[in-house]
C-alpha cells in the first residue's frame, strides 16, 4: 500500500492526525503484516485502525 507504518505511528502517537492522513493511512487495508514483522513488536496495525477511526470521526477522510 506504499505506507511507512513506523512513520505513520510516530505521528499517531504525537496526535498529529493531519499528517497521519497525508501519509495515506486511509489506504491501509489492515492486513497486519507490519505488526507481524515489527522487530519491536509494536502494535502498528492497531494504531492504523484507531487512526482511521479518528480521521473518519473528524470528517477529513
Ligand atoms: S496493516 Fe498492512 S496495509 Fe496497513 S500499514 Fe500495516 S502492512 Fe501496511
Amino acid at each position: 500500500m506504499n505506507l511507512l507504518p513506523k512513520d505513520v505511528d510516530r505521528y499517531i502517537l504525537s496526535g498529529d492526525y493531519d499528517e497521519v492522513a497525508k501519509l495515506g493511512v486511509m489506504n491501509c487495508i489492515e492486513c497486519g503484516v507490519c505488526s507481524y514483522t515489527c522487530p519491536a513488536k509494536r502494535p502498528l496495525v492497531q494504531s492504523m485502525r484507531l487512526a482511521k477511526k479518528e480521521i473518519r470521526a473528524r470528517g477529513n477522510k
Side-chain angles (χ1 to χ4, degrees):
M1 302 314 293
N2 207 22
L3 294 168
L4 299 170
K6 171 183 67 70
D7 294 346
V8 174
D9 191 48
R10 182 159 46 96
Y11 285 107
I12 290 170
L13 292 173
S14 68
D16 187 347
Y17 287 96
D18 289 336
E19 196 60 35
V20 171
K22 281 185 203 166
L23 289 173
V25 72
M26 300 309 284
N27 295 327
C28 172
I29 59 172
E30 301 178 22
C31 66
V33 169
C34 53
S35 291
Y36 185 74
T37 59
C38 178
K41 305 292 183 209
R42 287 166 61 183
L44 297 171
V45 67
Q46 289 86 346
S47 290
M48 302 297 150
R49 193 174 295 139
L50 288 172
K52 289 167 67 178
K53 187 176 175 185
E54 178 67 26
I55 289 168
R56 281 195 201 100
R58 292 175 182 217
N60 58 340
K61 63 176 190 174

